[in-house]
Amino acid sequence: MAKTATPSAVQAFTIQLIVSRFNPETDEESRWESFDVEVFSTDRVLDALHKIKWEQDGSLTFRRSCAHGVCGSDAMRINGRNRLACKTLIKDLDITKPIYVEAIKGLPLEKDLIVDMEPFFAAYREVKPFLIANSKPEKGKERLQSIENREIFDDTTKCILCAACTTSCPVFWTDGQYFGPAAIVNAHRFIFDSRDDSAKERLEILNDKEGVWRCRTTFNCSEACPRGIQVTQAISEVKAAVLRGRP
Amino acid sequence: MSKVITPPVSQMKASRGGTLYRGREGMWSWVLHRITGVAIFFFLLVHILDTALVRAYNAVISSYKNPIMGLGELGLVGAIMFHALNGLRIILIDFWSKGVKYQRVMFWVVVGVWVVLFAGFAPRHLINVFSEVGH
Ligand code: HEM
Ligand code: SF4
Ligand code: FES
């Protein structure tokens, strides 16, 4: 390794990472394992996990794809809060104490930091997260929308389906049937889109025992969202729309 | 370099093998709201039963006049006050367009008003409870 390639000004330091491990073939339940990792102040939790996997224990299992906060693969519970590992700088955490990393809560644990996302995506599909329009746009033109009308649902277009919100919700932990914040966010995205004609249908889907009324406004989702989406605000707007019977 | 360890108890409070989720004001206000709501419900259940059974009424009411029940009443009033004030906060979150934005501020207002009301009520109540015991 070319040591000289590293700028001498950058100081490496050692952190303790305590990771929740679970091997479905040998473990009854998950267990904590501690790793000492040498990192730079520019590193993120994802870099530390990579270092463990590449240099210490190749069996450590986690999802990541883009590594830049776009794909939504690496939501995990870091020091008790849902975060994307690729957007969490180690220097923003308290490194005098060990950093705890575990899988998101409320979805079936598959291995180490990986959960089965299927129930999450099933709820997402149920709200029909795609444009349903009855009219055809003028030939060769797109559907027009004013800046003001676009603004109404701008916030909820930013979702990357990472599940940080849904798995931070105490209601979802105890009731896996609840649609969860992410599905409602993505329903909001189309309910308030002036080009869409199926708002009523989605409002009916969400006016369910397991729909918006399960929300107890704990705000965990808003605080967990790595895209800064005001999730509870979106849910509130959908609740109000259900009561009105229209967007 | 890796070792299996048991994390400190403080990190493990909740479910086995997991840390306690570190939510903020919103989550803790909900936890308190549910605990106080359920507590009030069970108190009312018992209270309706004992007032409904007319024959037992006098005996039950006089048995309330002891310091243990007095402290219980203090707790009950504290719980109802929190539940009612935070209930108003939840109503504002649901129906006031700026409620979501100000939920955190409103939580601390609830705590503040609760402290003022409780500080007003507790001393009077305790004086009553402990001065009546001797009579
Ligand atoms: C004093 C006036 C009261 C007000 C303003 C009030 C307000 C509220 C509100 C707004 C909620 C909905 C909470 C949410 O959406 O998360 C609620 C829930 C609840 N209340 Fe009350 N309430 C009051 C009295 C009571 C009483 C007397 C009882 C007991 C019989 C009670 C028991 C409950 C319970 C068990 C819940 C469910 C908690 C939950 O789902 O998390 N409340 N209350
Ligand atoms: S709303 Fe935010 S936290 Fe929830 S899935 Fe979308 S990006 Fe992730
Ligand atoms: S790896 Fe794609 S969002 Fe983190």
Side-chain angles (χ1 to χ4, degrees):
Chain A
M1 263 225 248
K3 269 262 158 63
T4 45
T6 320
S8 54
V10 181
Q11 191 73 45
F13 50 94
T14 303
I15 55 160
Q16 189 188 3
L17 217 66
I18 298 184
V19 185
S20 180
R21 305 290 308 267
F22 174 71
N23 180 348
E25 281 160 16
T26 57
D27 298 338
E28 295 264 307
E29 53 187 77
S30 50
R31 63 203 149 78
W32 293 103
E33 194 170 346
S34 170
F35 299 91
D36 294 329
V37 197
E38 198 170 290
V39 294
F40 295 103
S41 65
T42 48
D43 279 343
R44 306 151 301 166
V45 171
L46 181 67
D47 299 305
L49 291 172
H50 275 151
K51 279 205 143 189
I52 296 172
K53 188 171 177 67
W54 294 337
E55 296 165 13
Q56 298 185 34
D57 183 348
S59 72
L60 181 67
T61 310
F62 54 92
R63 271 195 200 102
R64 69 100 173 83
S65 187
C66 69
H68 290 86
V70 185
C71 70
S73 304
D74 62 342
M76 47 190 81
R77 204 145 37 115
I78 299 169
N79 282 348
R81 292 186 173 125
N82 282 359
R83 295 287 181 264
L84 293 180
C86 65
K87 277 187 87 170
T88 306
L89 282 171
I90 284 160
K91 70 178 170 68
D92 291 341
L93 302 169
D94 178 5
I95 53 166
T96 61
K97 291 194 207 127
I99 297 166
Y100 287 82
V101 180
E102 60 202 302
I104 45 177
K105 198 174 152 116
L107 290 167
L109 187 58
E110 291 200 322
K111 190 173 182 187
D112 292 349
L113 302 176
I114 291 188
V115 296
D116 179 5
M117 297 281 281
E118 187 41 35
F120 172 79
F121 287 119
Y124 168 65
R125 284 192 299 269
E126 257 184 82
V127 302
K128 301 183 187 273
F130 39 81
L131 187 86
I132 305 175
N134 299 332
S135 57
K136 280 232 174 332
E138 217 179 298
K139 204 167 155 46
K141 300 258 183 192
E142 65 262 35
R143 291 169 211 280
L144 296 181
Q145 183 167 55
S146 69
I147 292 171
E148 294 73 36
N149 281 344
R150 176 62 173 71
E151 185 62 32
I152 298 171
F153 63 95
D154 185 66
D155 204 30
T156 48
T157 62
K158 300 185 218 153
C159 177
I160 56 173
L161 294 170
C162 66
C165 55
T166 295
T167 59
S168 76
C169 176
V171 177
F172 182 76
W173 298 334
T174 51
D175 173 12
Q177 297 301 306
Y178 171 41
F179 275 85
I184 302 172
V185 159
N186 287 280
H188 180 285
R189 154 71 184 80
F190 289 97
I191 288 169
F192 293 96
D193 187 334
S194 59
R195 299 163 295 188
D196 186 276
D197 294 311
S198 245
K200 280 222 163 81
E201 192 185 346
R202 295 194 191 87
L203 291 175
E204 242 164 65
I205 294 169
L206 288 172
N207 186 17
D208 182 89
K209 185 159 75 60
E210 304 293 351
V212 284
W213 308 118
R214 273 273 179 274
C215 168
R216 298 257 79 87
T217 58
T218 73
F219 291 89
N220 279 8
C221 51
S222 303
E223 266 139 30
C225 179
R227 308 284 299 166
I229 298 173
Q230 293 303 309
V231 182
T232 312
Q233 177 68 44
I235 298 175
S236 252
E237 287 170 14
V238 175
K239 283 175 179 168
V242 171
L243 289 181
R244 276 197 306 271
R246 58 180 173 76
Chain B
M1 243 208 268
S2 83
K3 55 190 188 304
V4 176
I5 54 109
T6 317
V9 178
S10 63
Q11 297 275 348
M12 296 197 56
K13 267 174 216 142
S15 58
R16 47 177 187 154
T19 60
L20 185 64
Y21 197 88
R22 284 173 58 208
R24 299 190 47 173
E25 289 88 342
M27 178 170 117
W28 295 113
S29 70
W30 166 74
V31 170
L32 273 175
H33 198 87
R34 178 158 287 185
I35 292 172
T36 53
V38 171
I40 300 165
F41 173 80
F42 280 109
F43 166 78
L44 278 186
L45 195 71
V46 173
H47 192 54
I48 288 169
L49 286 179
D50 65 30
T51 35
L53 304 170
V54 182
R55 261 202 260 183
Y57 186 81
N58 287 339
V60 169
I61 291 298
S62 57
S63 79
Y64 284 174
K65 288 193 174 151
N66 69 60
I68 307 282
M69 289 311 274
L71 288 177
E73 278 167 358
L74 189 67
L76 181 71
V77 169
I80 294 177
M81 274 175 358
F82 176 82
H83 190 92
L85 292 169
N86 192 56
L88 297 177
R89 168 178 164 272
I90 295 168
I91 291 169
L92 286 172
I93 290 171
D94 284 342
F95 294 107
W96 176 39
S97 56
K98 297 205 173 70
V100 170
K101 190 172 163 197
Y102 293 116
Q103 63 95 5
R104 198 168 291 150
V105 181
M106 289 195 294
F107 173 74
W108 291 110
V109 172
V110 164
V111 171
V113 175
W114 184 89
V115 168
V116 169
L117 289 179
F118 199 70
F121 172 76
R124 286 160 199 251
H125 180 70
L126 289 178
I127 287 168
N128 270 336
V129 167
F130 287 101
S131 58
E132 265 171 37
V133 175
H135 296 276

